[in-house]
Amino acid sequence: MFKKVLVANRGEIAIRVMRACRELGISTVGVYSEADKNALFAKYADEAYLIGPAPSSQSYLNMAAILAVSKNTGSDAIHPGYGFLSENPSFAKCCEEEGPIFIGPPSHVIAEMGNKIRARHLMMKAGVPVVPGTKDAVDDVDEAKVFAENIGYPVIIKASAGGGGIGMKVAHCREELVTTFGSTRQMAGSAFGDSSVFIEKYLEEPRHIEIQILADSYGNTIYLSDRECSIQRRHQKLIEEAPSPIMTPELRVQMGEAAVKVAKAIGYVNAGTVEFLYSRGDFYFLEVNTRLQVEHGITEMVTGIDIVKEQLRIAWGEKIDFLQEDICINGHAIECRINAEDPLNDFAPSPGKIRGYRSAGGPGVRVDSGVHTGYTISPYYDSMISKLCVWERTRDLAIARMERALYEYVVVGVKTNIPFHKAVMRNPDFRSGDITTAFIEDNKILESVEEIVKSEAEKGDTLASAIEAKDKKVAAITAAVYAYVSMAQKMQR
Ligand code: ADP
């Protein structure tokens, strides 16, 4: 097994990967930006090195600096986590050519799947259903109009190189298509350096269901659990669960086998996710995420498989040592992404210092985080505080457990989306499993969030307000003590 792994990431995911390494007896190398010099993950690593200033382009995306640390420390492999360099084919290729080992799929797979048009071609060739759409890039608005009018509105214009919910616009009518077509192309060009776009039928109120896969270098490809990720805001996931509430044994096999077909068609190796949209009984290929996903933890909870350890083993050249029939789904897991953002102010990021922090705990609760009391959430990076995951035997029990965990979770000093998660857990449609990607708008969730925030403020009986009150009292006492001491010192003089 590897002796030393460099983790080219920050925050909770850097710690998550280092935890797996620690359990496998692998020593870890952290890399950090100036903004992160006091961050927990940099302390957690066995050794850690500064790689540049706060902006990601100068640190976490700085390939030369990261590769230099890898060389100087004698690291055998690099784990890229998610985001940053994880889906950058040039970085993976550099590693393939000059070492160390890149913990992820081959660079050509990353390149092919990073191009949505190319990915769709490969899927069509492999006989996997894709969302109805244009076969190739669409260069002019007249061509776009012809397609949209044939297939019927609404349609979605997508940047071929897009990702993270960026570079997509929905058009409900001809006028909207005409105005958004050019702007999406322009945005794609400036954000991704590739202005090609294609058009898909915009499926109304679909579910986002994805399949976690593992593939080794010996041709063994296995699907783990499915994940329902329909609770999204602006096409970005906020709550995920495993398994999907609509999953049946038959559908699981159908989607799982389709995901394996996708993986085999592209020569996939390592852990990956095949995303599908599900609508009215049919499912369509959306894309492959060629990395560890944020939401991998809920799959670990229901399958008992440590996906990061499997990634390390596969990259080391081991065979997957279990079979498809060994995978059984046990119970239900839910993840809420706890972000420092204000749900009542259009989810605006709320960076700043965490003055008080107590995460949830107790039975069946897993918190992956990189923060602590006194930690400052930097405006340079995403605003994630942690991933709060729970497990219970059934979905209803898991929801109750998540409500309890959210009640326990205290973050003082920055605004969080915890009230949003509470509102979703209490929502009757969510509870019945009747969810689609339009859930937030359809359910007027923000009104419930407002009510929760108001009633908690009025009652003042939450753990958070108790701690906040104590925090204020402690601050007042500390200030009084300082004033007294300085007065006494003055009198002595
Ligand atoms: P990205 O690569 O930016 O994450 P995806 O293609 O994976 O983009 O899509 C992200 C989300 O956007 C999906 O989960 C879904 O909510 C929505 N979406 C994408 N394509 C469609 C479509 N054709 N119809 C309806 N919703 C879509």
Side-chain angles (χ1 to χ4, degrees):
M1 182 41 88
F2 299 119
K3 297 234 160 5
K4 201 185 251 193
V5 169
L6 185 150
V7 182
N9 215 300
R10 62 181 300 282
E12 70 82 19
I13 195 63
I15 295 182
R16 165 70 190 96
V17 174
M18 290 176 196
R19 280 179 165 152
C21 291
R22 195 165 275 269
E23 289 177 24
L24 290 172
I26 301 170
S27 69
T28 52
V29 178
V31 286
Y32 59 90
S33 72
E34 275 161 17
D36 280 336
K37 59 176 180 284
N38 294 318
L40 196 58
F41 76 91
K43 314 275 176 223
Y44 193 101
D46 293 311
E47 46 186 316
Y49 300 90
L50 178 68
I51 45 164
S56 306
S57 57
Q58 295 173 55
S59 46
Y60 298 106
L61 293 173
N62 184 342
M63 298 190 217
I66 293 169
L67 290 169
V69 172
S70 160
K71 204 165 177 189
N72 294 340
T73 53
S75 302
D76 317 303
I78 294 190
H79 195 302
Y82 54 69
F84 298 124
L85 294 171
S86 61
E87 287 177 296
N88 183 319
S90 322
F91 185 65
K93 195 154 180 29
C94 266
C95 295
E96 280 162 11
E97 284 168 1
E98 289 168 39
I101 288 174
F102 178 80
I103 301 173
S107 60
H108 71 90
V109 173
I110 302 178
E112 275 169 345
M113 292 301 108
N115 179 319
K116 290 180 197 265
I117 295 175
R118 175 99 185 100
R120 282 170 58 86
H121 283 183
L122 286 166
M123 293 313 126
M124 286 188 256
K125 208 169 135 206
V128 176
V130 298
V131 181
T134 59
K135 186 163 173 286
D136 293 305
V138 178
D139 301 325
D140 75 56
V141 73
D142 290 329
E143 204 187 326
K145 274 193 271 180
V146 172
F147 172 81
E149 261 125 58
N150 273 338
I151 197 131
Y153 289 98
V155 293
I156 183 165
I157 310 158
K158 281 189 181 179
S160 181
I166 302 164
M168 290 191 300
K169 287 257 173 67
V170 180
H172 294 90
C173 58
R174 181 189 279 214
E175 292 68 39
E176 228 179 332
L177 179 71
V178 171
T179 50
T180 52
F181 183 76
S183 63
T184 312
R185 264 172 68 87
Q186 230 166 20
M187 190 220 271
S190 57
F192 309 109
D194 172 2
S195 62
S196 32
V197 298
F198 65 106
I199 303 179
E200 275 178 2
K201 170 79 189 159
Y202 186 66
L203 303 174
E204 280 176 282
E205 314 208 330
R207 302 176 83 113
H208 174 122
I209 302 179
E210 60 187 32
I211 309 286
Q212 174 74 53
I213 53 149
L214 284 177
D216 66 21
S217 332
Y218 306 90
N220 302 305
T221 306
I222 282 178
Y223 58 92
L224 301 180
S225 79
D226 58 283
R227 293 185 289 253
E228 166 92 47
C229 311
S230 298
I231 309 288
Q232 305 180 347
R233 189 185 150 267
R234 296 206 187 120
H235 307 307
Q236 297 248 45
K237 301 159 187 170
L238 282 167
I239 298 176
E240 300 96 341
E241 52 184 310
S244 162
I246 58 156
M247 199 43 67
T248 59
E250 296 74 32
L251 185 59
R252 175 171 295 134
V253 172
Q254 275 177 33
M255 293 187 81
E257 287 181 352
V260 168
K261 198 166 171 185
V262 167
K264 292 207 171 210
I266 56 178
Y268 203 88
V269 179
N270 214 282
T273 297
V274 184
E275 297 189 334
F276 295 101
L277 283 182
Y278 176 96
S279 172
R280 303 193 177 112
D282 291 315
F283 60 87
Y284 308 90
F285 169 82
L286 194 57
E287 66 168 347
V288 178
N289 286 140
T290 53
R291 55 169 156 83
L292 183 67
Q293 300 267 105
V294 171
E295 59 272 25
H296 71 279
I298 50 172
T299 297
E300 296 183 322
M301 288 176 115
V302 296
T303 58
I305 288 170
D306 185 314
I307 295 171
V308 180
K309 283 188 192 162
E310 291 306 321
Q311 286 194 290
L312 289 157
R313 290 197 185 103
I314 291 169
W316 175 245
E318 285 180 26
K319 275 189 184 161
I320 298 174
D321 66 356
F322 44 83
L323 303 170
Q324 186 63 60
E325 45 275 32
D326 297 332
I327 306 296
C328 54
I329 307 300
N330 181 23
H332 199 91
I334 306 176
E335 168 176 280
C336 288
R337 300 187 186 196
I338 309 293
N339 296 335
E341 58 189 24
D342 183 359
L344 296 181
N345 181 18
D346 200 22
F347 290 82
S350 171
K353 190 168 186 157
I354 298 181
R355 286 187 291 107
Y357 183 77
R358 189 183 187 283
S359 71
V365 175
R366 165 175 170 175
V367 180
D368 283 23
S369 94
V371 308
H372 49 80
T373 304
Y375 177 89
T376 299
I377 296 172
S378 163
Y380 284 104
Y381 312 114
D382 71 33
S383 55
M384 189 189 278
I385 293 175
S386 74
K387 301 181 317 199
L388 171 62
C389 299
V390 300
W391 178 91
E392 248 285 21
R393 280 186 305 110
T394 65
R395 185 170 188 268
D396 288 348
L397 291 171
I399 293 174
R401 181 161 276 174
M402 181 57 90
E403 283 200 271
R404 185 271 289 171
L406 289 165
Y407 165 75
E408 286 177 9
Y409 213 121
V410 181
V411 184
V412 181
V414 294
K415 291 224 157 67
T416 76
N417 61 358
I418 291 175
F420 165 82
H421 291 302
K422 288 179 179 168
V424 176
M425 292 303 131
R426 291 174 200 175
N427 179 277
D429 281 355
F430 178 78
R431 296 176 85 96
S432 68
D434 183 11
I435 47 183
T436 72
T437 55
F439 174 85
I440 295 181
E441 301 85 63
D442 286 358
N443 283 272
K444 302 200 174 75
I445 278 294
L446 293 181
E447 288 175 17
S448 318
V449 175
E450 207 158 349
E451 271 167 37
I452 289 173
V453 171
K454 210 166 130 207
S455 95
E456 286 185 352
E458 273 167 11
K459 283 197 270 161
D461 63 350
T462 60
L463 271 179
S465 49
I467 290 187
E468 189 144 28
K470 197 166 154 236
D471 190 55
K472 279 189 188 140
K473 210 161 138 191
V474 170
I477 293 169
T478 314
V481 171
Y482 274 127
Y484 176 79
V485 170
S486 79
M487 194 177 77
Q489 281 171 344
K490 264 188 210 153
M491 280 168 68
Q492 267 179 3
R493 282 201 293 263

